[in-house]
Amino acid sequence: MDVSDLLTETYDRLPDLVRAAVDGLTPQQLRWQPGPGANSIGWLVWHLTRVQDHHVADLLDAEQVWVSGDWAGRFGLTADPDDTGYGHSPAQVAAVRPESAQALIDYYEAVASRTGTLLAGLGPAGLDRVVDEAWDPPVTLGVRLVSIVEDDQQHVGQAAYVRGLVEAD
């Protein structure tokens, strides 16, 4: 298996996990928080998608999916390209109000499609390209791609866990 196929296989598992975490839930269930200041399913899936969208757009030197349509309106937010949810206060978490599970699925699938474009045909030499010199050592494309998918996997797992709590409530 070459590196492009390996990364594609890894990233291609995420849409089904996202769908399983949110499909069939009501807007109220998507916004339900298991405790004060805790993250909701809607916020978790929105956040993992925003991070992927933000980072992949940067890697492609392109506009984010988030700002290219009415995605923000479907979440009760503004189309701020810098707002990925990182460091959100409890009030900001509660302000992420997806209109439906389908809004989360649609946004993730649009971002995943763009990520697939980046991964297609990517070779080992491309993974060594430095994409962020603000760190020591500088971050390569390979490290950034692993960081994105690792973050997404953690958050989609958290969303699945919270779904179990919502359904038990």
Side-chain angles (χ1 to χ4, degrees):
M1 180 178 276
D2 71 26
V3 69
S4 177
D5 291 342
L6 178 64
L7 287 168
T8 299
E9 174 66 27
T10 303
Y11 275 86
D12 279 355
R13 293 175 183 219
L14 289 167
D16 288 340
L17 296 172
V18 165
R19 199 172 301 106
V22 302
D23 198 30
L25 296 179
T26 67
Q28 294 76 18
Q29 289 172 315
L30 293 170
R31 294 190 296 264
W32 182 83
Q33 295 172 276
N39 296 327
S40 66
I41 296 167
W43 185 89
L44 287 162
V45 173
W46 169 83
H47 168 65
L48 74 87
T49 309
R50 285 294 301 123
V51 169
Q52 186 175 340
D53 188 11
H54 178 273
H55 289 0
V56 170
D58 184 54
L59 295 170
L60 292 169
D61 195 28
E63 184 175 64
Q64 296 173 32
V65 172
W66 181 249
V67 299
S68 65
D70 186 35
W71 295 108
R74 295 180 72 184
F75 292 85
L77 301 170
T78 59
D80 179 354
D82 295 321
D83 184 9
T84 63
Y86 183 77
H88 264 189
S89 69
Q92 289 170 305
V93 169
V96 176
R97 302 177 61 83
E99 67 184 19
S100 66
Q102 195 61 50
L104 289 159
I105 293 167
D106 291 347
Y107 178 42
Y108 186 79
E109 288 179 350
V111 170
S113 176
R114 173 181 269 181
T115 301
T117 300
L118 172 67
L119 299 176
L122 187 62
L127 294 175
D128 292 333
R129 176 173 63 97
V130 172
V131 297
D132 189 347
E133 294 188 11
W135 298 91
D136 185 18
V139 177
T140 64
L141 176 59
V143 168
R144 179 61 46 86
L145 289 170
V146 168
S147 176
I148 294 166
V149 78
E150 183 265 342
D151 186 69
D152 282 2
Q153 288 170 336
Q154 284 192 45
H155 288 311
V156 78
Q158 292 165 353
Y161 177 78
V162 176
R163 181 183 181 126
L165 297 175
V166 165
E167 291 175 334
D169 189 41

